Amino acid sequence: MAQRFVMKCGGSTLAALPDSFFGELRELQESGVHPVIVHGGGPAISETLTKLGIETEFVNGLRKTNDAVLDVVEMVLAGRINKEIVRKIQTNGAKALGLSGVDGLLIQAKPVANTAEIGFVGDVTDVNAEVIEGVMAMGYMPVIAPIGIDASGQRYNINADTAAGAVASHLGVEQMIVVTDVPGIMRNVDGEKKVLPSVTVAEIEEMIASGEIYGGMIPKVRAAVQCIQGRVREVVIVSGEEPGVLSRAVREGGVGTRIVQE
């Protein structure tokens, strides 16, 4: 079986990455490694909702999603951001195909438990891995927007990290790469900030409680932990701006922070 990996990235992070990062994706694809990309786009969704005068609020970090919000989520994620990423990959010489979870019933979903207060936010029930396998077999890199769908045709806003973990698990991928704008989880060692090579989920919760992981890093780390589900055993957090970071993460390790279950 050809080597493949699933990479999760925020839409705004991905848009800001240097061409060298996309060149690396091309080199990996040319060498027979198959990247699968699952992207988010929270900031762009918020910006568009504001422009359209649609109110939005968050409940425990998830966007409250009614029909009007859902239309915008789909428009921004499956439209603008998905195509922006596909364009960037293609401009840098690789082959990509953009999909949303609606296409070919790729990401099947059901309402989350607290749907009464949060609306059309979904949990993944199944992933049609055959579609992803087929796209890869044709030589294209799948770029997936995390919109889910159920048997009745109802769409759901799916957290990108949850979607990425589910896609990886259904593809049988054990390691996932989360690309952010930080080189990994940092810890103060003798007054110097150093990247932790490896950390467990329990240690992360301890570091959040003690204040060692703080501010904007908390959601990034918690998001990475959400990717650990099903068959996914570990997640590597890396900075997309670091030269050669993807090849190193995929081929040799020793870059960024590995988050392991225990």
Side-chain angles (χ1 to χ4, degrees):
M1 189 164 86
Q3 192 187 357
R4 68 268 295 264
F5 70 94
V6 175
M7 177 187 116
K8 148 70 181 42
C9 195
S12 50
T13 304
L14 211 47
L17 289 177
D19 283 345
S20 58
F21 179 87
F22 293 93
E24 230 187 306
L25 275 175
R26 184 193 71 238
E27 283 160 23
L28 283 166
Q29 189 179 43
E30 285 170 353
S31 72
V33 177
H34 297 291
V36 176
I37 298 171
V38 180
H39 65 85
I45 293 168
S46 296
E47 182 195 326
T48 308
L49 286 167
T50 304
K51 275 185 189 163
L52 296 171
I54 299 168
E55 280 187 21
T56 182
E57 59 179 301
F58 287 85
V59 179
N60 298 328
L62 293 173
R63 189 186 303 274
K64 200 169 174 178
T65 307
N66 58 18
D67 271 324
V69 172
L70 194 53
D71 279 344
V72 173
V73 167
E74 186 171 50
M75 177 176 86
V76 173
L77 285 183
R80 181 181 137 199
I81 290 189
N82 189 275
K83 300 313 160 209
E84 189 178 357
I85 296 166
V86 169
R87 279 201 309 274
K88 225 163 174 183
I89 292 169
Q90 291 176 166
T91 309
N92 284 281
K95 293 167 75 178
L97 192 69
L99 299 159
S100 89
V102 170
D103 298 303
L105 300 179
L106 182 57
I107 299 175
Q108 290 150 48
K110 64 173 185 189
V112 291
N114 61 334
T115 188
E117 59 172 331
I118 203 168
F120 299 117
V121 174
D123 276 330
V124 181
T125 55
D126 200 8
V127 173
N128 187 351
E130 278 180 17
V131 172
I132 301 172
E133 302 278 5
V135 169
M136 290 193 289
M138 290 193 302
Y140 289 87
M141 200 182 297
V143 179
I144 302 167
I147 310 285
I149 192 158
D150 67 15
S152 74
Q154 173 61 53
R155 300 165 298 168
Y156 295 93
N157 181 5
I158 310 246
N159 174 291
D161 310 289
T162 311
V167 164
S169 181
H170 282 85
L171 281 174
V173 173
E174 293 190 348
Q175 185 202 58
M176 256 193 66
I177 297 170
V178 173
V179 178
T180 63
D181 51 4
V182 292
I185 298 175
M186 317 287 275
R187 176 170 252 171
N188 276 326
V189 182
D190 303 328
E192 221 181 311
K193 277 196 163 183
K194 295 220 165 119
V195 175
L196 280 176
S198 174
V199 64
T200 66
V201 174
E203 284 170 336
I204 283 173
E205 286 307 325
E206 281 166 25
M207 287 172 75
I208 290 173
S210 72
E212 267 191 280
I213 295 176
Y214 59 90
M217 197 61 208
I218 296 175
K220 283 178 193 170
V221 174
R222 286 226 162 107
V225 169
Q226 279 192 315
C227 295
I228 301 178
Q229 51 176 293
R231 291 183 187 172
V232 181
R233 311 303 319 151
E234 62 176 55
V235 172
V236 186
I237 292 190
V238 297
S239 163
E241 286 166 14
E242 221 170 295
V245 73
L246 270 187
S247 312
R248 283 167 65 201
V250 172
R251 294 199 171 109
E252 57 212 55
V255 62
T257 302
R258 275 175 65 235
I259 300 176
V260 292
Q261 205 146 14
E262 50 204 42

